Amino acid sequence: MAGPVSAFAARKAARPTTTVTRPPIETNALPVTEASGEADAPARPKKRRKGGERPNSLGTPQPATEEKEPSVRITKHEDVSANGEDASDIVTEGETGSSDSKIIPQTAAPAQKLSTFIPTRSNVVSETDTEWTVRLHRNDTLAVLGQYDVWVRSGAISILGAMIHASSKLHRVYAPSTHSIPSIRPVPNPYGTGNPPIELTILSCGGRLRMLKQIMPKFGRIWNGRETIDGTRRSFINVQSSAEDPFKRPLRILEPPPDWQTILSQLLASNKERPLAVMACGPKGAGKSTFCRMLANALLLRAPSARREASTIALLDLDPGQPEYSPPGELSLIRLQSYNLGPPFTHPAVSGDDQVIRAHYFGHLSSKDDPQHYYSCALDLFSHYRRMTTNQGPCPLIVNCSGWIQGSGLELLTNFIDNLDLTDVIYLSTSGPEEVVDVLKEAASRTSTPLHQLSSQASDVPMRTAADLRMMQTLSYFHLDEPESGNLRWNPYPLVNIPPLVVHYAGSRQDILGVMLLGDEQNPEFFDSILEGCVVSITVIEDDSDISLGRIHHDGREEKGLNAGNESLDEEVAQNIDDLNGDARHECSSLPRTPTGIPYIPAKHLTVGPLSPTTSYSLGQALIRGIDIQTQAFHLLTPVPTFHLVGTQTHPNRKIVLVRGQLVAPTWAFAEQINFERERSRRRERDLGIKEENMTLDVKVLAERQPWASVVEGGRKGSGKIRRIRRDIRYKSQVP
């Protein structure tokens, strides 16, 4: 006879576990319903069970946990590993009852004063539901949360290093709670004793960036609330103190260290004969990107009468994990002519008068994953900067480095100091490490380059992790729409509703040379499963007779720096590289193909190395939505213009290769439709007057509509929160 069974065990045994599977994602789009652009609602209180609070192991009262609903598992059924086992291992747990983003657990922060400007009848000129005109006096500071256009009517203001003078031009500002809020300050009149009040108008703006929360909860609760304090529905809000925030977030103001302002003033007053060339380096989280953003804004043209400021800035962005104007994994040279007044996910591509001079797909998040290729890309981009200044005139250069400063990372920095012809080096940390600072000082002394050691930026209470921000930047990039009045614009609906771009990989209309999978050699039989649903780079090969597949590139010239002259390479590896270059001289028809006909660049010496940066460059990134074997075509989703990909017969000397790197899989794309359906259901119930706590949502019904999702019942109610999707698509080598 069986022993007694506890009530918990009985309930657990009684729960059914059901798995619902569907075939791979279809190309037919689901019907779309127009969604509202309203901002987020305040967080609703959590339910507590009747017993009230219960103490934890430390004796601190904790709210009781809710019962949980079925979780959602997002899976890619066609993915299999090299040995035939299922390798998708995707995982998501679905957010069943709320579209609000999960905020990182944090301790309660004390209230902080954000603005010294106090609205009164005398300093508020006018206000409507979409505009707010104010006068700022000498010592006023104004903190505005949200997204808005600023119009300076009289005088001048400073924001994020930029000095904006009175004109008819509007400047777009993005100030989400994920980053420190930039402060608006009046600029004193340097040509007279009188300092009249500065008058400016702040206007609500569109762009639909805030609507991305309906497909990705991470975009929720980062702007101003549903309504401002006075009941209007502006896209911005003036916050006097963090205590006034309706979401009770740990808001903070951007306060650069005093030595930042000192060095910025010194750089602006520089009387050097040649343009500035400043490299910012330092450990992770030191504020390198913020410093570069402020320096670029300060160097741009301030007023027609200014003489030392430039109208063009060159940004050499060498941080693949947190790039400024591209999705993660890219290294780029950007020509800037407009202010940068927002974090990277608000401008994942250039707009207006800004221009990408050249970019390379690195395929990793850190330079330590392939320092040689990283250095080769940096040298190539710098050579194009020199070419740009020769053709278009001199302009300042700002180099933003990655946060890897140990080992080979330090060697990379010293090589940059030796070879990039810098005028100044900024190291953003006063706490060392001392051995790193000593090596950098020695390298700077060899080239007579001043090295300035500055304080790092005060660490913020993070509301999003670095991985979250990378995911938001990638999603923002793939949802770019046609620009509007020189500003970026987004498509806030799931990617499954966007017609894909059909690019043929075989046949008479072949548009691409082939595909390339960086890293360990893979079995071609599984290329379809590896590529489908992944992000790839759209890489242009300028001369396919010079494709270099080795990890060290031989392009007929000597490279300075790492492995200069190939002295550290043994003869066998060097010979293998020469063989690879010889093999690459075949026509595209000679490339091997997978069983489904996809041409690919094969591995040599068990590794697929990157393309030579001297003969290739990146146009952008694409998401392979599907592979049509019948028509021998890829279905791509990309913001890259169509003419770059389709009909390449008009560019006979240019070949396209789709390169897959070692980045995290875009699992956010698999969850977009579920998030959208959930948000639409909540909005429908809200319009019917149903209170938040009484809303019902059947996760199983939502998931069954998604052909790539399955439902797993069981567990406690609320476990269905989509926290993360885990997917490992790095397969085992099949080389005997």
Side-chain angles (χ1 to χ4, degrees):
M1 176 183 258
V5 180
S6 66
F8 176 78
R11 288 197 303 270
K12 183 176 180 181
R15 292 193 191 103
T17 301
T18 305
T19 302
V20 181
T21 59
R22 297 288 180 187
I25 182 171
E26 302 290 342
T27 57
N28 295 330
L30 295 175
V32 183
T33 301
E34 187 70 22
S36 160
E38 295 179 357
D40 305 47
R44 66 177 186 271
K46 294 183 178 180
K47 292 182 180 179
R48 294 177 181 173
R49 56 176 67 185
K50 295 181 179 180
E53 296 180 344
R54 58 185 181 188
N56 60 5
S57 58
L58 299 178
T60 306
Q62 298 290 335
T65 308
E66 297 181 57
E67 290 188 13
K68 300 188 175 181
E69 295 178 354
S71 60
V72 178
R73 179 179 298 276
I74 296 180
T75 180
K76 186 178 174 186
H77 300 284
E78 63 274 22
D79 280 356
V80 291
S81 65
N83 57 9
E85 297 176 356
D86 183 13
S88 59
D89 191 24
I90 303 188
V91 207
T92 113
E93 320 267 344
E95 291 175 347
T96 58
S98 172
S99 63
D100 299 335
S101 173
K102 177 187 175 183
I103 297 179
I104 299 173
Q106 52 204 5
T107 57
Q112 294 187 5
K113 186 71 174 177
L114 303 177
S115 296
T116 61
F117 173 83
I118 301 177
T120 63
R121 291 184 177 180
S122 61
N123 57 23
V124 176
V125 179
S126 63
E127 59 181 338
T128 66
D129 284 346
T130 58
E131 298 181 8
W132 193 45
T133 302
V134 297
R135 293 192 182 99
L136 298 182
H137 293 80
R138 183 181 182 90
N139 296 321
D140 286 339
T141 61
L142 179 62
V144 180
L145 175 68
Q147 46 187 330
Y148 55 92
D149 290 325
V150 60
W151 172 26
V152 181
R153 293 172 173 265
S154 64
I157 63 170
S158 67
I159 175 173
L160 205 59
M163 185 180 296
I164 304 176
H165 289 259
S167 70
S168 59
K169 185 176 181 179
L170 300 179
H171 297 270
R172 179 67 52 87
V173 182
Y174 295 97
S177 62
T178 54
H179 295 70
S180 299
I181 303 174
S183 179
I184 300 176
R185 301 172 183 269
V187 177
N189 180 10
Y191 303 107
T193 57
N195 286 286
I198 308 301
E199 186 171 312
L200 70 151
T201 298
I202 298 176
L203 306 93
S204 292
C205 65
R208 304 195 291 187
L209 177 60
R210 68 170 55 233
M211 291 178 64
L212 292 180
K213 77 179 185 69
Q214 68 185 5
I215 57 174
M216 171 50 64
K218 295 294 182 184
F219 281 92
R221 290 178 148 208
I222 64 174
W223 307 106
N224 58 308
R226 177 183 295 276
E227 295 182 346
T228 59
I229 297 175
D230 57 2
T232 61
R233 297 207 174 189
R234 301 170 181 154
S235 65
F236 63 89
I237 180 176
N238 167 229
V239 184
Q240 299 292 320
S241 168
S242 58
E244 296 181 2
D245 178 39
F247 293 144
K248 305 304 178 184
R249 295 164 292 190
L251 302 178
R252 62 277 185 202
I253 201 72
L254 178 61
E255 295 179 338
D259 53 358
W260 284 26
Q261 299 293 348
T262 302
I263 194 62
L264 287 174
S265 300
Q266 292 179 8
L267 294 175
L268 291 176
S270 174
N271 292 319
K272 296 179 180 179
E273 296 181 357
R274 62 191 182 93
L276 288 173
V278 182
M279 184 180 78
C281 57
K284 294 180 180 180
K288 298 182 294 297
S289 298
T290 302
F291 180 85
C292 291
R293 199 175 298 134
M294 294 183 64
L295 177 59
N297 289 337
L299 287 173
L300 283 171
L301 183 63
R302 296 183 177 185
S305 60
R307 294 193 296 181
R308 284 202 177 94
E309 293 79 7
S311 59
T312 300
I313 300 293
L315 173 64
L316 182 53
D317 194 347
L318 301 180
D319 188 353
Q322 296 178 334
E324 191 69 38
Y325 289 95
S326 64
E330 300 269 347
L331 306 176
S332 58
L333 175 66
I334 310 293
R335 186 172 69 110
L336 298 176
Q337 292 185 305
S338 56
Y339 294 129
N340 180 357
L341 303 176
F345 70 81
T346 64
H347 50 260
V350 296
S351 61
D353 296 329
D354 299 337
Q355 179 185 0
V356 178
I357 301 300
R358 192 174 178 89
H360 294 300
Y361 182 67
F362 182 56
H364 307 277
L365 297 179
S366 174
S367 57
K368 66 181 179 181
D369 294 319
D370 194 344
Q372 175 60 49
H373 182 52
Y374 176 85
Y375 184 67
S376 299
C377 291
L379 288 184
D380 181 73
L381 294 175
F382 181 69
S383 68
H384 279 77
Y385 162 72
R386 283 182 166 174
R387 188 179 306 173
M388 182 186 75
T389 56
T390 301
N391 298 333
Q392 304 178 14
C395 71
L397 172 68
I398 300 175
V399 183
N400 182 24
C401 297
S402 66
W404 185 44
I405 59 174
Q406 301 288 346
S408 298
L410 181 58
E411 184 181 355
L412 285 169
L413 294 179
T414 57
N415 281 307
F416 289 156
I417 295 175
D418 291 337
N419 300 313
L420 296 189
D421 197 18
L422 302 171
T423 61
D424 298 88
V425 177
I426 308 295
Y427 185 78
L428 292 167
S429 177
T430 55
S431 57
E434 292 301 327
E435 60 274 14
V436 173
V437 178
D438 292 341
V439 172
L440 292 179
K441 287 182 177 179
E442 181 182 354
S445 64
R446 290 197 303 266
T447 57
S448 301
T449 305
L451 188 145
H452 312 276
Q453 191 172 0
L454 306 181
S455 303
S456 58
Q457 185 181 10
S459 59
D460 298 326
V461 179
M463 293 189 63
R464 299 290 185 271
T465 65
D468 290 339
L469 294 176
R470 282 193 294 269
M471 179 176 62
M472 294 169 67
Q473 188 168 352
T474 306
L475 184 146
S476 175
Y477 173 79
F478 281 103
H479 281 270
L480 286 175
D481 206 343
E482 292 294 330
E484 183 179 28
S485 303
N487 294 310
L488 294 179
R489 191 166 176 264
W490 286 264
N491 179 358
Y493 302 107
L495 292 177
V496 70
N497 297 304
I498 300 177
L501 177 64
V502 179
V503 176
H504 294 272
Y505 58 77
S508 59
R509 296 183 297 171
Q510 182 171 343
D511 298 307
I512 65 171
L513 176 67
V515 299
M516 188 175 186
L517 277 63
L518 297 180
D520 296 337
E521 184 179 6
Q522 310 293 343
N523 189 332
E525 295 182 3
F526 301 112
F527 273 24
D528 293 16
S529 297
I530 296 174
L531 291 171
E532 197 165 18
C534 288
V535 171
V536 294
S537 166
I538 303 173
T539 300
V540 174
I541 299 178
E542 298 169 299
D543 186 354
D544 60 351
S545 66
D546 290 329
I547 299 177
S548 176
L549 304 180
R551 193 161 292 278
I552 308 298
H553 311 294
H554 293 265
D555 55 3
R557 67 179 184 182
E558 180 181 358
E559 290 185 348
K560 299 179 180 179
L562 294 181
N563 296 326
N566 268 344
E567 295 176 357
S568 62
L569 294 177
D570 56 45
E571 296 180 359
E572 180 182 356
V573 175
Q575 182 61 43
N576 287 334
I577 294 171
D578 293 336
D579 293 341
L580 292 172
N581 290 330
D583 293 342
R585 294 186 176 92
H586 295 291
E587 297 295 329
C588 63
S589 58
S590 65
L591 287 178
R593 293 180 179 265
T594 68
T596 56
I598 300 176
Y600 66 95
I601 298 177
K604 290 288 185 179
H605 215 59
L606 309 186
T607 301
V608 179
L611 297 169
S612 172
T614 60
T615 58
S616 65
Y617 62 91
S618 173
L619 290 174
Q621 296 183 11
L623 194 156
I624 300 181
R625 172 176 164 171
I627 303 175
D628 191 336
I629 300 176
Q630 300 297 326
T631 61
Q632 295 183 310
F634 290 114
H635 289 186
L636 303 182
L637 297 172
T638 177
V640 175
T642 304
F643 65 85
H644 286 299
L645 285 166
V646 179
T648 53
Q649 295 85 351
T650 58
H651 305 281
N653 297 325
R654 195 177 71 173
K655 305 295 183 181
I656 300 292
V657 174
L658 301 182
V659 183
R660 176 188 174 274
Q662 299 293 314
L663 303 181
V664 177
T667 48
W668 48 266
F670 294 89
E672 283 187 347
Q673 190 69 29
I674 293 179
N675 292 330
F676 180 75
E677 292 287 345
R678 179 193 306 111
E679 180 65 21
R680 185 167 61 176
S681 176
R682 287 169 51 81
R683 189 182 302 114
R684 186 184 304 112
E685 292 189 352
R686 189 164 52 239
D687 292 342
L688 294 175
I690 301 176
K691 296 182 179 180
E692 295 276 342
E693 58 270 19
N694 296 328
M695 289 185 179
T696 60
L697 189 64
D698 192 337
V699 182
K700 183 176 179 179
V701 172
L702 288 182
E704 285 180 344
R705 299 175 186 170
Q706 322 308 325
W708 53 90
S710 61
V711 175
V712 178
E713 294 188 356
R716 300 193 174 189
K717 187 176 181 180
S719 66
K721 186 157 187 167
I722 299 180
R723 296 185 182 90
R724 191 177 62 163
I725 301 177
R726 293 181 285 111
R727 179 167 178 252
D728 188 358
I729 49 179
R730 284 178 265 184
Y731 298 96
K732 299 179 181 179
S733 175
Q734 284 297 297
V735 178

